[in-house]
Amino acid sequence: MAKQKRKVLEVTEKKNKKLKKASAEGPLLGPEAVPDGDGAGPQGGAVLRAVQDAEPELSPEEQRVLERKLKKERKKKERQRLREAGVMAQHPPARRSGAELALDYLCGWAQKHENWRFQKTRQTWLLLHMYDSDKVPDEHFSTLLAYLEGLQGQARELTVQKAEALMRELDEEGVGGPDPLLPGRAQRIRQVLQLLS
């Protein structure tokens, strides 16, 4: 068993050396060398044949790995060249937060858009944060209650169980405690329990 592992490691090291040697000699397939399907491009067929002749021992998987590495290196060099030229890479627009996406999902449901569709992640976010007035504002909570009326199956049962557990927890702590947000939260929990029970 140990001999096999050593042998596999030796073969892997040899292949890695071949890959490094091939990558040092030049790119395997540059973007301009990709054939259009028949290999009849100006350079595509010649480069592809030259690579196949030079490295016949590389398996297709090893060639793909080598091509990926070379592509990554080219991109890295391009980014470095742009950085040196002082051109900042354009950043993609900032991603929207889960709160925004979930509230848009809820508003889409309320307006009965024909392109609205069920999204489990958005529903899960709403169910997790529905008692937090910072994350689900009061103007959206009434819409959320209407959405909860249609809640079915395990989601409905778990929501009721969670609301009951939270209500017990609040009763133990006492609603008139030091946290001023508790009465609003308790009111939301009661509304959910009344709706779903």
Side-chain angles (χ1 to χ4, degrees):
M1 188 70 173
K3 287 183 181 180
Q4 283 182 329
K5 285 185 179 179
R6 270 190 243 123
K7 190 172 186 178
V8 168
L9 287 174
E10 289 172 6
V11 170
T12 306
E13 287 175 7
K14 286 180 183 178
K15 287 182 181 180
N16 284 339
K17 286 180 184 177
K18 285 182 185 179
L19 290 174
K20 286 181 183 178
K21 183 179 176 185
S23 67
E25 291 173 358
L28 182 62
L29 286 176
E32 66 281 347
V34 175
D36 293 336
D38 58 353
Q43 299 172 342
V47 171
L48 188 59
R49 279 191 297 280
V51 168
Q52 288 173 347
D53 292 341
E55 294 294 334
E57 294 113 21
L58 291 179
S59 70
E61 178 62 27
E62 292 169 336
Q63 285 181 340
R64 281 193 296 275
V65 168
L66 178 61
E67 288 171 4
R68 278 190 228 121
K69 285 183 179 180
L70 293 174
K71 184 177 179 184
K72 189 175 179 180
E73 288 176 12
R74 281 194 304 271
K75 284 185 178 181
K76 186 177 179 180
K77 287 178 183 176
E78 179 67 19
R79 281 194 306 265
Q80 185 177 5
R81 188 183 63 77
L82 288 174
R83 207 177 305 123
E84 288 172 357
V87 177
M88 292 295 291
Q90 293 180 354
H91 295 289
R95 298 182 77 191
R96 297 175 62 203
S97 70
E100 291 173 342
L101 293 170
L103 292 176
D104 286 349
Y105 168 80
L106 187 63
C107 291
W109 174 84
Q111 295 170 0
K112 307 290 188 231
H113 285 295
E114 54 195 45
N115 60 354
W116 179 89
R117 61 185 178 84
F118 174 74
Q119 295 179 13
K120 186 170 181 66
T121 54
R122 305 292 170 245
Q123 177 177 300
T124 303
W125 190 94
L126 287 167
L127 294 176
L128 285 174
H129 302 294
M130 67 181 157
Y131 304 117
D132 188 350
S133 59
D134 293 334
K135 294 184 179 178
V136 180
D138 290 334
E139 63 262 12
H140 291 292
F141 189 70
S142 58
T143 307
L144 180 59
L145 287 174
Y147 177 83
L148 291 178
E149 284 181 39
L151 203 59
Q152 299 174 354
Q154 189 73 17
R156 186 180 190 102
E157 293 170 14
L158 288 174
T159 303
V160 170
Q161 289 174 1
K162 184 178 177 183
E164 288 172 345
L166 286 171
M167 199 61 187
R168 273 186 254 118
E169 194 177 296
L170 286 176
D171 287 341
E172 290 172 5
E173 292 177 7
V175 177
D179 191 358
L181 296 177
L182 283 179
R185 189 167 189 224
Q187 182 181 0
R188 284 186 173 204
I189 294 170
R190 279 192 202 98
Q191 288 177 326
V192 169
L193 280 172
Q194 288 173 354
L195 178 72
L196 298 178
S197 295

